[in-house]
Each structure stands twice: as structure tokens, then as C-alpha cells.
Amino acid sequence: MSAHAFPPPVESAAQEPFPHSATASRAVDPASPPLVVGLGEAMVLFQPADGRSLAECGIASVHVAGAELNLLAAVRRAGVRAAFCSRVGADPFGERVLAAAAELGVETQLVVVDERYPTGLFAKDVREDGVRRVHYYRAGSAASQMGEDDAGRALSGGPSLVAVSGITAALGDGPRRAVVRLAELARERGVALAMDPNLRPGLPPVANVLRKLLPLTRFLVLGLDEAQPLFGTDAPDEVFRRAGEAGVGEVVLKAGADGCWYDTPSGPRHLASAAVRVVDPVGAGDAFAGAYLAARLRGIGPRGAARLGTAFAAGVVAAPGDTDGLPAEQEAGRLVDAAQQMSS
């Protein structure tokens, strides 16, 4: 097993912990730009490109996707440094993952190339009724071999914030230990932890594991459908109350087409969705989370951060790929400026 030959991470000054309140924020310090590190798996995706099913198609398009990489792509597009911590196989698919991450502006020096295990793959089928079915081939993948050592590596570059999800915790005992250890180390070192539960019906249940991490979580970005398994309710006021009682610093509740709820001193406030056209909803939640977290690191308050998140998500649902709909750099800058004005 060998580390991918990329330049070593830039060391940044030690970050002070985020204040533990819903309205606290911090502006970007040009002398010590914030860095977000995401721990997870990215895979190569195959999907029909000729309108037919996987069983019948003659042409398939090839993409790279993964919840944490999608999130990091949005973080970077919103003007904050982002680095991916993972493992890929020493194979062409691993090379493709690294190239795709680099093209998105996501740093890859924390990715290990594992010569013993392959890069994970998955295929997406779109049925005649519009329902999407995904087939995963990730058992025994390089990323499924992650463990506590990977947690230490994720913190080696001095990040301001680390992002984890339930998908990674569900990949196996090693990845679950990596997520838990990263949360513990982040708290010890004063690094903010962001958690997106990303509970998936097709993966082993991890709600109990994530529930134990709530006291260590600075930012909880969850979907409305994930609130019931974690908190026993999906009523926004109650979700925010129970999350606060569990020790979560700040909550944002994603509700898809119904927009989101964000934290205010007087309780959760609703914000409508900005989507006007829906082609493929996959990746929208990740884009929202990445934009929201980047905005908070840039000193933008929860309201402006939620507005930026909805704008990024609206672009992603209007395009077929997980990250294809992210705003171009100039447009992203305009959206960030608008979100900043909402906080001034």
C-alpha cells in the first residue's frame, strides 16, 4: 500500500474551536484559510447513455460519485479549500476518482492508493416509470478497508472542519471505527465536526452509532426522512430541541422540495426551495450541505448559509450528474456575496 504521489498537505495554523451556539460564525482569515476534510468513499458510476435499461443499453456513461466527494465539491465551489480522505484501488478506476476530485478542485493528498483492494463501482438504472435503481459493487473495496489510521490522516493537514456521514459508517467495522475515532479526535483537537446522517435503506443500520456522536457534532445537516430514526420525530421544532439536548451545536434540516429549516435564536425557521426544474435529485443534499458548511466557515450566518445551500441544490437537481449542476465559479461567487449580505 502506498500513498498517492501528490504534494504534502499545506499545514495551517491551529484552529480555535467554533463557539457552541447556533448563531456563531467566523470569517475567512486570509493568513489561515479554512480547510474542510471529508472522510468517505468515492466510486465510479456507470449509467445508460442511450435511454435504455442497464440490461439492454449499448452505451453507458462513466462518472465519479460519492456523498462526501459531492459535499467537498460544493465546499470548494463556494470558495473554501476542500480535501478528500479515502482509499482507492491501484487500478484505472482509482485513477479516475483521483482525476475527478482534482478536476473539481478537491485536494487528494489524503487519499491512499491501496494495492490490495479495488475501487468501488456502482451502476444506476432508470426505469420506465422514472424510478431510479442503484446497484452497488463496493463489498471488499479499498475504501471499505478504512480504519482508525485513516481518522488520524484526515486531521494531519490541520482542518477547520471534518465532515462524516452514515454511509461511511455503514461500510463495515473498520470504516465505522474510523468515523467514531475521527469524531473523538476532532473534539480533542478543537476541530469542528459536521455530520450528515445519509441513512440508506440498502446499507446496514447505523442510527445508533450516529446517535452516540451527536454530543461531538458541531453541525448536524440531516434530511427530514432521517429525523425519525435519530430523534423519534420529524417535527422540525422537536428535532431541533432534541438535537440541542443531545449536545449538537447547530442543526439544519433538509426537506427536499419543501426547502429546509435553519437555526435561529428563537427556534427553527423555514426557507423554501429554490428549485424550478428537477431532472435528477441525486447529489442535491450533498451540494446543500457543502455550500452551507462553506458559508458558515466564511462567517455567513445560518440564514445566509441556508440560502446558499438551497441555491446550490437547485442547480444540482436541474442537471443529470451529482455535481454537474453546481454553479460556475463566477456565479458561485455572486451567490456567496448575496448570502453574505443576508448576514450583514
Side-chain angles (χ1 to χ4, degrees):
M1 182 168 54
S2 60
H4 191 67
F6 277 80
V10 176
E11 294 293 337
S12 62
Q15 303 291 332
E16 293 184 2
F18 282 79
H20 209 60
S21 69
T23 57
S25 61
R26 183 177 58 184
V28 174
D29 178 2
S32 180
L35 168 66
V36 174
V37 171
L39 176 74
E41 179 175 37
M43 298 176 291
V44 172
L45 164 66
F46 295 85
Q47 58 185 20
D50 55 8
R52 295 189 288 178
S53 69
L54 280 170
E56 301 172 340
C57 72
I59 304 173
S61 59
V62 185
H63 309 270
V64 170
E68 293 80 10
L69 182 58
N70 295 343
L71 181 152
L72 293 169
V75 167
R76 186 69 194 97
R77 197 63 56 89
V80 173
R81 283 180 62 210
F84 189 39
C85 183
S86 185
R87 291 173 179 256
V88 298
D91 51 40
F93 299 123
E95 292 177 9
R96 191 159 194 141
V97 168
L98 291 166
E103 186 175 351
L104 290 166
V106 176
E107 300 171 26
T108 56
Q109 67 267 12
L110 299 177
V111 178
V112 166
V113 175
D114 195 324
E115 297 176 355
R116 301 169 299 172
Y117 301 97
T119 305
L121 308 175
F122 70 119
K124 185 189 297 183
D125 215 352
V126 180
R127 299 178 180 178
E128 291 183 2
D129 58 5
V131 176
R132 290 165 174 76
R133 185 176 180 184
V134 181
H135 307 268
Y136 291 98
Y137 304 91
R138 70 197 321 174
S141 70
S144 72
Q145 309 305 310
M146 290 191 294
E148 294 188 5
D149 289 347
D150 298 275
R153 190 172 72 257
L155 291 168
S156 64
S160 311
L161 181 148
V162 290
V164 298
S165 83
I167 293 176
T168 306
L171 293 181
D173 289 343
R176 175 182 54 78
R177 290 195 300 271
V179 168
V180 172
R181 185 57 178 153
L182 179 55
E184 294 170 343
L185 288 174
R187 171 54 65 90
E188 291 174 8
R189 301 182 189 183
V191 175
L193 173 73
M195 181 167 67
D196 187 339
N198 260 320
L199 301 178
R200 295 288 189 268
L203 292 174
V206 293
N208 287 339
V209 175
L210 302 184
R211 204 174 291 115
K212 294 176 182 178
L213 300 183
L214 293 175
L216 306 177
T217 301
R218 176 65 184 87
F219 296 101
L220 178 64
V221 186
L222 78 161
L224 192 61
D225 58 336
E226 297 162 339
Q228 188 74 38
L230 280 177
F231 298 109
T233 180
D234 58 7
D237 286 349
E238 194 63 16
V239 170
F240 278 67
R241 185 185 69 80
R242 295 185 187 185
E245 289 179 347
V248 175
E250 182 172 311
V251 181
V252 61
L253 185 61
K254 302 175 292 182
D258 291 329
C260 70
W261 282 264
Y262 62 91
D263 242 337
T264 75
S266 59
R269 186 73 59 84
H270 182 256
L271 179 66
S273 169
V276 296
R277 176 171 176 260
V278 178
V279 173
D280 186 351
V282 177
D286 304 324
F288 177 98
Y292 183 92
L293 294 171
R296 297 297 281 124
L297 282 171
R298 293 179 66 101
I300 298 171
R303 178 170 173 256
R307 178 70 70 182
L308 186 66
T310 59
F312 272 47
V316 168
V317 300
D322 287 15
T323 58
D324 291 351
L326 288 174
E329 186 174 349
Q330 186 173 359
E331 173 64 9
R334 188 190 67 78
L335 292 170
V336 169
D337 289 343
Q340 183 74 64
Q341 291 174 10
M342 293 182 69
S343 299
S344 59

